[in-house]
């Protein structure tokens, strides 16, 4: 079976990011359906329309990697009860220049982890709204992962069996949605 190309985008540029650790674990967990690729955003400049005249190499690379993916999985922390600025800026680069939106028509799923009690719920709500507005097909459901030390081990394995099973079902759902979206339309027989 051909696997879908899954772009993993982490909403944190922190070296020890717990969301990057979770994203790496998700890449591994979804290996049955997906060929995962971590799409970095930490080398992108903050979005500035002046730079569109000669796109920086990092932006060109980022947009090409997004365009090559069948589905994008966003794994993000919450900053000040919303989307981290570094992620919002990357999303804006993906929509530009005008007429060159790299996100259009791709499936998107959103998750994230934090040590906080509501574990990224507000950031995820804001992010889902933005992704719908820029033309992505956003998977329903919710995946708020409460982070405890050791949740993801050094081999990128989710150590808690119930969290692992939950995330496996989440990835299965994303694969099913992506399959529907990428299915070939059979032409109608002529009357
Ligand atoms: C600027 C800033 C704002 C934050 N705001 C929130 C918040 O609104 N809600 C929350 O649960 N955690 C918040 N946190 C805590 C982050 O969830 C925590 O730092 C987490 O480890 C970030 O994920 P990362 O390790 O992937 O960068 C904030 C952290 C920073 C640096």
């Amino acid at each position: 079976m051909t696997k879908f190309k899954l772009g993993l985008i982490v909403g944190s540029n922190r070296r020890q990011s717990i969301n990057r650790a979770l994203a790496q674990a998700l890449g591994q967990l979804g290996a049955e359906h997906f060929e995962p690729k971590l799409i970095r955003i930490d080398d992108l400049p903050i979005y500035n329309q002046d730079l569109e005249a000669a796109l920086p190499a990092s932006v060109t690379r980022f947009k090409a990697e997004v365009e090559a993916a069948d589905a994008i999985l966003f794994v993000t922390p919450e900053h000040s009860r919303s989307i981290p600025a570094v992620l919002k800026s990357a999303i804006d680069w993906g929509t530009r220049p005008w007429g060159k939106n790299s996100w259009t028509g791709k499936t998107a799923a959103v998750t994230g982890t934090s040590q906080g009690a509501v574990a990224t719920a507000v950031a995820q709500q804001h992010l889902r709204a933005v992704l719908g507005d820029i033309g992505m097909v956003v998977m329903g459901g919710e995946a708020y992962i409460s982070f405890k030390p050791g949740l993801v081990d050094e081999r990128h394995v989710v150590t808690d069996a119930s969290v692992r099973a939950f995330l496996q079902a989440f990835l299965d759902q994303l694969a099913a949605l992506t399959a529907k979206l990428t299915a070939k339309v059979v032409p109608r027989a002529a009357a």
Side-chain angles (χ1 to χ4, degrees):
M1 191 193 75
T2 311
K3 295 184 184 186
F4 297 116
K5 290 188 165 56
L6 178 67
L8 293 158
I9 296 185
V10 177
S12 172
N13 51 7
R14 203 167 76 82
R15 273 193 293 276
Q16 298 300 321
S17 165
I18 57 176
N19 283 279
R20 189 173 309 105
L22 179 62
Q24 285 165 323
L26 285 162
Q28 233 168 253
L29 203 54
E32 187 193 331
H33 309 293
F34 298 108
E35 201 182 287
K37 173 162 183 59
L38 209 57
I39 300 180
R40 63 185 295 207
I41 63 170
D42 61 330
D43 59 342
L44 301 176
I46 285 285
Y47 175 77
N48 179 343
Q49 197 167 0
D50 291 341
L51 300 180
E52 288 189 13
L55 283 186
S58 58
V59 172
T60 306
R61 186 268 313 151
F62 171 73
K63 287 176 69 68
E65 289 178 356
V66 168
E67 286 160 23
D70 297 307
I72 305 281
L73 176 53
F74 293 86
V75 186
T76 187
E78 178 170 283
H79 281 183
S80 309
R81 291 282 178 258
S82 191
I83 306 165
V86 67
L87 177 57
K88 183 59 170 58
S89 175
I91 290 169
D92 289 345
W93 273 125
T95 65
R96 300 294 301 182
W98 193 88
K100 305 257 187 238
N101 184 345
S102 305
W103 309 107
T104 309
K106 293 181 191 298
T107 11
V110 176
T111 186
T113 188
S114 86
Q115 302 89 348
V118 288
T120 73
V122 184
Q124 290 195 39
Q125 288 299 333
H126 290 183
L127 180 55
R128 280 193 199 91
V130 170
L131 299 179
D133 286 341
I134 62 173
M136 301 193 87
V137 179
V138 185
M139 188 173 93
E142 299 171 305
Y144 309 132
I145 308 302
S146 176
F147 193 86
K148 304 276 180 308
L151 178 70
V152 177
D153 72 14
E154 63 288 346
R155 292 167 304 130
H156 308 309
V157 172
V158 177
T159 54
D160 182 305
S162 65
V163 176
R164 197 169 57 243
F166 173 80
L167 290 171
Q168 183 69 70
F170 180 76
L171 289 162
D172 291 347
Q173 191 190 342
L174 178 59
L177 180 64
T178 307
K180 270 190 205 155
L181 205 73
T182 56
K184 296 259 184 307
V185 176
V186 181
R188 230 183 244 171

